[in-house]
Amino acid sequence: MNLTVYLAGQIHDDWRDNLKRKAKNKDLSISFVGPQEQHDLSDSIGENILGAQPGNVYRDDAASAINNFRTEVLLKKADIVIALFGEKYKQWNTAMDAATALTLNKPTIIVRPESLIHPLKELSNKANVTVETIDQALEVIEYVYK
Amino acid sequence: MNLTVYLAGQIHDDWRDNLKRKAKNKDLSISFVGPQEQHDLSDSIGENILGAQPGNVYRDDAASAINNFRTEVLLKKADIVIALFGEKYKQWNTAMDAATALTLNKPTIIVRPESLIHPLKELSNKANVTVETIDQALEVIEYVYK
Amino acid sequence: MNLTVYLAGQIHDDWRDNLKRKAKNKDLSISFVGPQEQHDLSDSIGENILGAQPGNVYRDDAASAINNFRTEVLLKKADIVIALFGEKYKQWNTAMDAATALTLNKPTIIVRPESLIHPLKELSNKANVTVETIDQALEVIEYVYK
Amino acid sequence: MNLTVYLAGQIHDDWRDNLKRKAKNKDLSISFVGPQEQHDLSDSIGENILGAQPGNVYRDDAASAINNFRTEVLLKKADIVIALFGEKYKQWNTAMDAATALTLNKPTIIVRPESLIHPLKELSNKANVTVETIDQALEVIEYVYK
Amino acid sequence: MNLTVYLAGQIHDDWRDNLKRKAKNKDLSISFVGPQEQHDLSDSIGENILGAQPGNVYRDDAASAINNFRTEVLLKKADIVIALFGEKYKQWNTAMDAATALTLNKPTIIVRPESLIHPLKELSNKANVTVETIDQALEVIEYVYK
Amino acid sequence: MNLTVYLAGQIHDDWRDNLKRKAKNKDLSISFVGPQEQHDLSDSIGENILGAQPGNVYRDDAASAINNFRTEVLLKKADIVIALFGEKYKQWNTAMDAATALTLNKPTIIVRPESLIHPLKELSNKANVTVETIDQALEVIEYVYK
Amino acid sequence: MNLTVYLAGQIHDDWRDNLKRKAKNKDLSISFVGPQEQHDLSDSIGENILGAQPGNVYRDDAASAINNFRTEVLLKKADIVIALFGEKYKQWNTAMDAATALTLNKPTIIVRPESLIHPLKELSNKANVTVETIDQALEVIEYVYK
Amino acid sequence: MNLTVYLAGQIHDDWRDNLKRKAKNKDLSISFVGPQEQHDLSDSIGENILGAQPGNVYRDDAASAINNFRTEVLLKKADIVIALFGEKYKQWNTAMDAATALTLNKPTIIVRPESLIHPLKELSNKANVTVETIDQALEVIEYVYK
């Protein structure tokens, strides 16, 4: 049985590659999808396709329309969502993706450091499972195959 | 025609009272609902009802279960959601409520200061309307009645 | 039994007032809702609320976000949709509202002149009933009460 | 990952072949589906199968039932919808297909020339992304694979 | 608590009046809705509104579009459906209404004489409750209030 | 593109084999599913599995539970439903399957002889396409592939 | 704001009256609904309406069809479900009602004694809130009004 | 045609292996999925992944979150659910899984011994088919292939 896992969360470090490598080491049959990980491309994709916009608000809106399009296509394919919150950044996208997935009844795992327990408590309570490390998230998925 | 509006967002200042007063001045027939606004109560409600918990993680989880219960009951009643983001705090609850409402096809207005345009761009693009002040949010709702 | 009827279609003549008067004469217990009928307001509402936009594309997008918000709130309240197509204008809003209503399983009546039979044939086939005059549309609704 | 894309829009020129060729050049793994592109067949299919009808209204209704059947079968298979509006024709089918797709939560791209910005503004605002050329539409889809 | 009950089934005798009278005698707070009971009107409503049609097929299709419109509006309002099958007539409308209601998760009671047990067995198994008389159907509803 | 077609309708003649052969001759890539075609087995399957029942009502109910189970599993797999009505028998199963499929938004073709136009008019109006022969039904499906 | 609360659970003691009295003392505006509380009636309702059945299996099936009908009508009206598990009895109905409510996204509170923590752990985890006494359940609901 | 069958029910004996072997002997093309069958692992999985918890309630909640995650992922894949009830244990998980599956419109077979007829009567009435042995359950599934 192959499962598709959407990896929501920050795109500022290599946690996805890390997680994919570990999943491979465990021989889990998983297809990973997720947001655009090249930060610059993610911010400029609107103007890249639609041309220069009259200011930052419009530039951001153009980019986010295309990022949301991408997420919507891929999230639908997902059997499982992992949403990782780090200590930096606002990460409202991550909260949006997790809440969207949960409302669509996609089984969702939240990964967050201990320091974020309090501000994430409602989303965490709503998620299926909350863990602190990607290793734990992977163990949860591995359990499905056992 | 009476409309029910859920007011998602921070509970640290009096923006809700402010908005309600302005809605009243405009004679709009609106019932407002929203999260628990007494911050202390919102944090302690779990232990208040379920008794002392073994540490903060469990205390937070107990409180958030009951806060989520409240939100779920009231969000279902809402015809419209206003989600306000301020400059302080993580406000992942607000992002969660807005994304949940949008996935449930509740018409949703986001209110956020100029400084948050970039980090909120994807959620903002997904929302029906994004404005900067509660007066503007109220004007959008007033337009439904015109 | 009171029914709510959404009146989709052009806002350039007084067909809605006409229909409402006729419904009143028949003593039908109907609440009518519909799009903003003041054409200028409908086009300028974006800039009215959000301030001047950098060009027509952005002005139109700002206005349409708020018009769509209005439609979404009111369409949900509707038990029945009447979508009127006239001979002038593109009227893609009308087609959008009719298709949205049909996909949401709202019983929908299309009113269109004989001259539009061919270009409207697929939408017309998808609608519950297609007629040529608002009197006929009203007779269809009257039949529900008989 | 293979994606199925429904190509809604006018059937009077070769924009679909053009787009398919370009997608092939980009080596995108896409299955394209869409309406019947032989205009005459699309208009006569009702009488072809059901026999002569008593006049144009009935001829059109018979054809559109079968065209709608086709669209419904294929639209369900689609992960993405591209809806192209040209400057000629009423194109209410295209608006109907785009609004249906959006209501079914299919990620949808609208392609329209600059001249149609105003009449399409509400549908355009409702769509995930709006562009002016099929090259741009393809770039949006390409972005999903990046 | 008021309940709305849709009375699907043949329109050739006075079973609905009978049932309504009995419900009134039991003081049950029920609003009854149902199909057009004037058989001639039900058959001619298409031509009454749309004008003469070119033959019986088209006459029947015009009438049934408007009858289906009526059913769709009223069935949505129903909390409960009673579908009565008699020994005469094809009664495919009744089967259609019962299956539609069941698929929409409307609690549905089938009333049928002993002679129809075998041909109705699959629909009967799918319904919530199957009885032989309208008195029994009413007792089932009365039980909800006890 | 392979399509799965559910063949609802009477199981008393060989119309399904006939249709399958014709589909094969046209080289259409279709998987056909449908109800149990061995009439005796279909009637006795309840007692075959559950043992003797205390009378015909219970025998019929036991069989229909298992027939409905089968239909439910297979109907879900179907992209398209063909529902054939013949001149004999009550065929309420067929009406039930067609109405269920239509309520689940499965594109549905009704096949019925001219003699049944009037009693089937509402179901026929609700279906996507109504034809008189299985050849026509197959031509409708063939059109999807053209 | 009035809320409707469905009280699922055993019908062998007076916990519902107790809870209703306490809700009244707190002046909460709640309409309570629930299963038939007269145990004998609940067991005999099938035969009461449908007549003597050929043995206990059929007697039970007849009664449960009507009990399920009642539950389905009333559960749909509920904004909130309280499901109470006691130490005696199998109480699979209670588990069925709670799981049905949760799958229908009805906010659900489970009440269970400490002794049942382990066997109820999965259902408890799935519920919105789990408490040990009806006083606590009522406090959770009271919190919605605060 | 391959079908996926979820095997809900107690994990204390080898009924699943038994059933899988019999399905293999019948050459049925079925993929079986189900809950974690190693009882100890199922109880300790929470602490295995999340670390020691402060007492049994929290230990159980941690384990059940992950068990529910597993069930949710696999239940979605299922075409059919078999829920087996034995004479021992509370088995509320089984009732929860069966009710969830039925509410999601998954065709569901209940297997229960004669001794459980009365306490399971409502769930049994709600299920598609109820049988007493796994051989009978398998015959029901085999019938789909005949």
Short mmCIF file of all heavy atoms in Angstrom, two decimals, chain A residues 93-123:
data_model
loop_
_atom_site.label_atom_id
_atom_site.label_comp_id
_atom_site.label_asym_id
_atom_site.label_seq_id
_atom_site.Cartn_x
_atom_site.Cartn_y
_atom_site.Cartn_z
N ASN A 93 0.67 29.93 7.00
CA ASN A 93 0.40 28.94 5.95
C ASN A 93 0.28 27.53 6.51
O ASN A 93 -0.57 26.75 6.09
CB ASN A 93 1.57 28.88 4.96
CG ASN A 93 1.54 29.97 3.98
OD1 ASN A 93 0.80 30.92 4.16
ND2 ASN A 93 2.32 29.84 2.92
N THR A 94 1.19 27.25 7.44
CA THR A 94 1.20 25.91 8.01
C THR A 94 -0.09 25.67 8.79
O THR A 94 -0.72 24.62 8.67
CB THR A 94 2.43 25.76 8.94
OG1 THR A 94 3.55 26.31 8.28
CG2 THR A 94 2.68 24.31 9.27
N ALA A 95 -0.49 26.67 9.58
CA ALA A 95 -1.73 26.56 10.33
C ALA A 95 -2.93 26.43 9.38
O ALA A 95 -3.85 25.64 9.61
CB ALA A 95 -1.90 27.77 11.24
N MET A 96 -2.90 27.20 8.30
CA MET A 96 -3.96 27.15 7.29
C MET A 96 -4.02 25.76 6.65
O MET A 96 -5.10 25.17 6.52
CB MET A 96 -3.69 28.21 6.22
CG MET A 96 -4.61 28.15 5.02
SD MET A 96 -4.21 29.46 3.79
CE MET A 96 -3.01 28.60 2.75
N ASP A 97 -2.86 25.22 6.27
CA ASP A 97 -2.86 23.90 5.62
C ASP A 97 -3.34 22.82 6.58
O ASP A 97 -4.10 21.93 6.20
CB ASP A 97 -1.45 23.56 5.12
CG ASP A 97 -1.04 24.41 3.93
OD1 ASP A 97 -1.89 25.13 3.38
OD2 ASP A 97 0.15 24.37 3.55
N ALA A 98 -2.88 22.90 7.84
CA ALA A 98 -3.29 21.89 8.82
C ALA A 98 -4.80 21.96 9.06
O ALA A 98 -5.48 20.93 9.07
CB ALA A 98 -2.53 22.09 10.13
N ALA A 99 -5.32 23.16 9.24
CA ALA A 99 -6.76 23.31 9.52
C ALA A 99 -7.59 22.90 8.31
O ALA A 99 -8.65 22.28 8.44
CB ALA A 99 -7.08 24.74 9.93
N THR A 100 -7.10 23.23 7.12
CA THR A 100 -7.80 22.82 5.90
C THR A 100 -7.83 21.30 5.81
O THR A 100 -8.88 20.69 5.55
CB THR A 100 -7.10 23.41 4.66
OG1 THR A 100 -7.06 24.82 4.80
CG2 THR A 100 -7.84 23.03 3.38
N ALA A 101 -6.68 20.68 6.03
CA ALA A 101 -6.59 19.22 5.95
C ALA A 101 -7.53 18.57 6.97
O ALA A 101 -8.26 17.64 6.65
CB ALA A 101 -5.15 18.78 6.19
N LEU A 102 -7.52 19.08 8.20
CA LEU A 102 -8.37 18.50 9.25
C LEU A 102 -9.86 18.67 8.90
O LEU A 102 -10.65 17.76 9.13
CB LEU A 102 -8.06 19.15 10.59
CG LEU A 102 -6.73 18.67 11.21
CD1 LEU A 102 -6.26 19.61 12.30
CD2 LEU A 102 -6.88 17.24 11.75
N THR A 103 -10.21 19.80 8.34
CA THR A 103 -11.62 20.01 7.97
C THR A 103 -12.02 19.10 6.81
O THR A 103 -13.18 18.70 6.69
CB THR A 103 -11.85 21.50 7.60
OG1 THR A 103 -11.32 22.31 8.65
CG2 THR A 103 -13.34 21.80 7.45
N LEU A 104 -11.06 18.76 5.97
CA LEU A 104 -11.31 17.81 4.88
C LEU A 104 -11.16 16.36 5.34
O LEU A 104 -11.17 15.43 4.53
CB LEU A 104 -10.34 18.06 3.72
CG LEU A 104 -10.45 19.41 3.00
CD1 LEU A 104 -9.29 19.58 2.03
CD2 LEU A 104 -11.78 19.52 2.25
N ASN A 105 -11.01 16.16 6.66
CA ASN A 105 -10.85 14.82 7.23
C ASN A 105 -9.62 14.08 6.76
O ASN A 105 -9.62 12.85 6.63
CB ASN A 105 -12.10 13.97 6.98
CG ASN A 105 -13.31 14.49 7.70
OD1 ASN A 105 -13.19 14.85 8.86
ND2 ASN A 105 -14.44 14.55 7.04
N LYS A 106 -8.55 14.80 6.50
CA LYS A 106 -7.25 14.17 6.21
C LYS A 106 -6.56 13.90 7.55
O LYS A 106 -6.35 14.86 8.32
CB LYS A 106 -6.35 15.12 5.41
CG LYS A 106 -6.93 15.64 4.12
CD LYS A 106 -6.57 14.74 2.96
CE LYS A 106 -7.19 15.27 1.68
NZ LYS A 106 -7.10 14.33 0.58
N PRO A 107 -6.17 12.68 7.84
CA PRO A 107 -5.42 12.42 9.07
C PRO A 107 -4.16 13.27 9.11
O PRO A 107 -3.38 13.26 8.15
CB PRO A 107 -5.09 10.92 8.98
CG PRO A 107 -6.14 10.36 8.06
CD PRO A 107 -6.43 11.45 7.08
N THR A 108 -3.99 14.03 10.19
CA THR A 108 -2.95 15.06 10.25
C THR A 108 -2.10 14.95 11.52
O THR A 108 -2.63 14.80 12.61
CB THR A 108 -3.63 16.45 10.19
OG1 THR A 108 -4.33 16.56 8.94
CG2 THR A 108 -2.61 17.58 10.29
N ILE A 109 -0.79 15.01 11.32
CA ILE A 109 0.18 14.99 12.42
C ILE A 109 0.83 16.36 12.53
O ILE A 109 1.32 16.88 11.53
CB ILE A 109 1.29 13.94 12.16
CG1 ILE A 109 0.69 12.55 11.98
CG2 ILE A 109 2.32 13.95 13.30
CD1 ILE A 109 1.69 11.53 11.40
N ILE A 110 0.83 16.94 13.72
CA ILE A 110 1.54 18.20 13.93
C ILE A 110 2.87 17.92 14.61
O ILE A 110 2.94 17.13 15.55
CB ILE A 110 0.69 19.17 14.76
CG1 ILE A 110 -0.43 19.72 13.86
CG2 ILE A 110 1.53 20.31 15.33
CD1 ILE A 110 -1.35 20.70 14.54
N VAL A 111 3.93 18.55 14.08
CA VAL A 111 5.25 18.47 14.69
C VAL A 111 5.59 19.87 15.21
O VAL A 111 5.56 20.82 14.43
CB VAL A 111 6.33 18.04 13.67
CG1 VAL A 111 7.68 17.82 14.38
CG2 VAL A 111 5.91 16.79 12.90
N ARG A 112 5.86 19.99 16.50
CA ARG A 112 6.20 21.32 17.04
C ARG A 112 7.13 21.17 18.24
O ARG A 112 7.05 20.21 18.98
CB ARG A 112 4.95 22.12 17.42
CG ARG A 112 4.00 21.46 18.36
CD ARG A 112 4.04 22.00 19.75
NE ARG A 112 3.16 21.25 20.63
CZ ARG A 112 3.49 20.09 21.19
NH1 ARG A 112 4.66 19.50 20.95
NH2 ARG A 112 2.66 19.49 22.03
N PRO A 113 8.04 22.15 18.43
CA PRO A 113 8.94 22.07 19.58
C PRO A 113 8.16 22.37 20.87
O PRO A 113 7.08 22.97 20.83
CB PRO A 113 9.95 23.18 19.30
CG PRO A 113 9.23 24.16 18.45
CD PRO A 113 8.28 23.33 17.61
N GLU A 114 8.76 21.99 21.97
CA GLU A 114 8.13 22.17 23.28
C GLU A 114 7.74 23.62 23.52
O GLU A 114 6.71 23.91 24.14
CB GLU A 114 9.11 21.71 24.37
CG GLU A 114 8.43 21.09 25.57
CD GLU A 114 9.43 20.80 26.68
OE1 GLU A 114 10.60 20.46 26.34
OE2 GLU A 114 9.06 20.92 27.87
N SER A 115 8.55 24.53 23.00
CA SER A 115 8.31 25.95 23.25
C SER A 115 7.00 26.46 22.63
O SER A 115 6.52 27.52 22.98
CB SER A 115 9.48 26.76 22.67
OG SER A 115 9.60 26.45 21.29
N LEU A 116 6.45 25.70 21.71
CA LEU A 116 5.24 26.18 21.04
C LEU A 116 3.97 25.50 21.55
O LEU A 116 2.90 25.67 20.97
CB LEU A 116 5.36 25.98 19.53
CG LEU A 116 6.45 26.80 18.84
CD1 LEU A 116 6.44 26.52 17.34
CD2 LEU A 116 6.24 28.30 19.07
N ILE A 117 4.11 24.74 22.60
CA ILE A 117 2.93 24.03 23.10
C ILE A 117 1.76 24.97 23.36
O ILE A 117 0.65 24.74 22.87
CB ILE A 117 3.28 23.27 24.40
CG1 ILE A 117 4.16 22.06 24.05
CG2 ILE A 117 2.01 22.79 25.11
CD1 ILE A 117 4.71 21.33 25.26
N HIS A 118 1.99 26.04 24.07
CA HIS A 118 0.88 26.91 24.45
C HIS A 118 0.21 27.61 23.25
O HIS A 118 -1.00 27.50 23.09
CB HIS A 118 1.31 27.91 25.52
CG HIS A 118 0.15 28.64 26.09
ND1 HIS A 118 -0.81 28.03 26.86
CD2 HIS A 118 -0.25 29.94 25.98
CE1 HIS A 118 -1.74 28.91 27.21
NE2 HIS A 118 -1.42 30.08 26.68
N PRO A 119 0.97 28.30 22.41
CA PRO A 119 0.28 28.99 21.31
C PRO A 119 -0.38 28.04 20.30
O PRO A 119 -1.29 28.44 19.57
CB PRO A 119 1.39 29.82 20.65
CG PRO A 119 2.67 29.19 21.08
CD PRO A 119 2.41 28.62 22.44
N LEU A 120 0.08 26.80 20.25
CA LEU A 120 -0.49 25.85 19.28
C LEU A 120 -1.54 24.94 19.91
O LEU A 120 -1.99 23.99 19.26
CB LEU A 120 0.61 24.97 18.69
CG LEU A 120 1.19 25.40 17.34
CD1 LEU A 120 2.32 24.48 16.96
CD2 LEU A 120 0.14 25.43 16.24
N LYS A 121 -1.93 25.20 21.15
CA LYS A 121 -2.71 24.19 21.86
C LYS A 121 -4.04 23.85 21.19
O LYS A 121 -4.43 22.68 21.15
CB LYS A 121 -2.90 24.58 23.33
CG LYS A 121 -3.79 25.75 23.62
CD LYS A 121 -3.82 25.99 25.15
CE LYS A 121 -4.96 26.89 25.55
NZ LYS A 121 -4.80 28.28 25.07
N GLU A 122 -4.74 24.82 20.64
CA GLU A 122 -6.04 24.48 20.02
C GLU A 122 -5.86 23.67 18.71
O GLU A 122 -6.57 22.72 18.46
CB GLU A 122 -6.87 25.75 19.73
CG GLU A 122 -7.80 26.12 20.87
CD GLU A 122 -7.06 26.87 22.00
OE1 GLU A 122 -5.99 27.46 21.72
OE2 GLU A 122 -7.55 26.86 23.16
N LEU A 123 -4.90 24.07 17.91
CA LEU A 123 -4.67 23.33 16.67
C LEU A 123 -4.17 21.92 16.99
O LEU A 123 -4.58 20.93 16.37
CB LEU A 123 -3.67 24.09 15.79
CG LEU A 123 -3.48 23.57 14.37
CD1 LEU A 123 -4.80 23.40 13.64
CD2 LEU A 123 -2.59 24.53 13.58
#
